[in-house]
Amino acid sequence: MGKFPYQPNPDVFVQVSICSVNTFLDFHPFNINLNAANRHKIDSVLLNSVGSNFILFPEYTYTEELRELYQNYSNQNNCIIIGGSGLESNGANFYAYAPVFTPNQELIKVYKRRITHVETILSESRIIDYPNKVPRQIKVAINNDIDVLVSVYVCYDFLVEGKTEVRDDIIFVPQFEPSPQQFITEGDKISKGWDNFVLGANNSNDNQRSIGFVPTLNSQSINRLALRHWRDKRYPSGKGKLDSHHHTISFDITGEKLITFQLNVGNPVTKGSTLSFVSSQPNFKPIAEFAL
């Protein structure tokens, strides 16, 4: 028996929580400082992220002191935690890496292969490039019957490392980045090219912003997100002009905040209009915003 050519995909939503906090880095001596105030922020993020499938922290907010807490939370809540990044000793130097916690599995370390000039200067050359190949792609079971493919790139690696030939549903980018323009350009290209989602969590120092991309947003979605101050209404189009309908969902929320939203990984591309004669859902749904 024949099959009609049009087969609409079912909506499949995953919930994501992304936090922005000031960096935990100290410089004298150089280390990541999990003091009482920083630990309180971590606890607040976890408390207000119950129900999320993924939690993403910015760079340089992780120490081994958090390992048991994150693993237990991941096990108990069946969620993935991308713990920003931490430092692993290599003699007198350090490798930077993103710890990825999956339920009841061994810790995954996604090392940073390209260290920025800023990190070199701030660390007095002690953070160095990781020299080996880094596995990035992780398959995650959602609702026991849906597999979602995600990859993790630590900050600058997202710009300079080759992307996998196998399509990711979501790319996560923990950041320590004062100037996001290159990330906006690359995220725009990747999201459009693969019809997927690119999400970043940045430190909140100096009102830095995080990044977020979906393949498409219609004008009504853009206007509503701008009213909620989740994004500027206009973004650079790549031609030196501000585009009123640039499809990014770049997070223009400043300060130490936690945002939670849902992504439609089953239907990542939304229509150009909200008019539809069949039941349909958007590809991005804001849920909550919480001050840390």
Side-chain angles (χ1 to χ4, degrees):
M1 185 174 179
K3 185 170 67 173
F4 291 116
Y6 174 64
Q7 300 293 324
N9 293 324
D11 293 319
V12 178
F13 283 95
V14 297
Q15 187 159 302
V16 180
S17 290
I18 290 180
C19 80
S20 180
V21 294
N22 290 339
T23 180
F24 293 177
L25 278 175
D26 276 350
F27 303 107
H28 303 290
F30 183 77
N31 72 329
I32 297 173
N33 183 9
L34 188 67
N35 57 32
N38 290 338
R39 177 59 187 260
H40 177 72
K41 295 170 192 175
I42 295 291
D43 291 338
S44 294
V45 169
L46 297 180
L47 178 64
N48 288 279
S49 296
V50 173
S52 289
N53 302 102
F54 300 94
I55 304 173
L56 176 63
F57 289 88
E59 278 196 275
Y60 300 119
T61 58
Y62 177 76
T63 74
E64 276 291 303
E65 298 171 71
L66 293 168
R67 182 167 182 166
E68 183 177 0
L69 174 68
Y70 283 175
Q71 189 62 65
N72 288 340
Y73 186 97
S74 174
N75 297 346
Q76 294 164 10
N77 293 278
N78 194 33
C79 77
I80 310 300
I81 299 177
I82 301 103
S85 71
L87 298 172
E88 179 179 278
S89 295
N90 179 47
N93 298 319
F94 299 102
Y95 294 133
Y97 69 95
V100 182
F101 295 86
T102 57
N104 303 302
Q105 301 292 326
E106 289 294 319
L107 173 66
I108 299 169
K109 290 185 176 182
V110 179
Y111 288 92
K112 187 171 186 176
R113 299 196 69 233
R114 310 295 182 93
I115 301 303
T116 66
H117 293 175
V118 171
E119 290 167 297
T120 299
I121 293 168
L122 289 178
S123 70
E124 297 178 332
S125 302
R126 296 183 66 194
I127 305 179
I128 59 175
D129 293 347
Y130 186 71
N132 302 321
K133 186 176 179 180
V134 176
R136 302 185 184 282
Q137 198 165 61
I138 304 164
K139 184 169 69 172
V140 180
I142 302 295
N143 300 328
N144 297 320
D145 59 352
I146 300 291
D147 287 336
V148 175
L149 281 176
V150 304
S151 281
V152 177
Y153 291 83
V154 185
C155 200
Y156 195 58
D157 282 359
F158 176 65
L159 301 180
V160 296
E161 291 287 298
K163 306 303 185 293
T164 176
E165 294 181 2
V166 179
R167 175 189 177 274
D168 293 297
D169 293 294
I170 309 172
I171 294 176
F172 290 101
V173 188
Q175 293 178 272
F176 177 70
E177 176 55 50
S179 178
Q181 184 54 55
Q182 292 182 79
F183 289 87
I184 289 175
T185 301
E186 181 70 6
D188 179 45
K189 179 183 75 175
I190 296 301
S191 183
K192 283 179 178 176
W194 286 106
D195 289 340
N196 63 3
F197 302 96
V198 177
L199 305 174
N202 203 358
N203 299 108
S204 56
N205 305 67
D206 302 317
N207 286 329
Q208 293 166 176
R209 68 187 188 207
S210 301
I211 58 170
F213 300 89
V214 301
T216 56
L217 279 179
N218 60 46
S219 60
Q220 292 192 38
S221 296
I222 290 170
N223 291 338
R224 300 311 184 271
L225 288 170
L227 284 173
R228 290 190 59 139
H229 304 292
W230 280 48
R231 60 159 279 169
D232 284 340
K233 190 169 183 179
R234 302 193 298 167
Y235 271 105
S237 64
K239 301 177 181 178
K241 298 180 180 180
L242 292 177
D243 186 347
S244 295
H245 298 295
H246 195 276
H247 73 279
T248 70
I249 50 170
S250 288
F251 311 126
D252 295 312
I253 299 170
T254 56
E256 296 188 295
K257 298 278 182 69
L258 173 73
I259 59 174
T260 300
F261 48 87
Q262 292 184 346
L263 302 176
N264 191 346
V265 294
N267 282 297
V269 180
T270 193
K271 293 183 177 182
S273 168
T274 55
L275 174 64
S276 178
F277 295 113
V278 297
S279 177
S280 64
Q281 291 287 325
N283 55 1
F284 176 87
K285 296 197 295 187
I287 301 296
E289 176 186 346
F290 180 79
L292 297 172

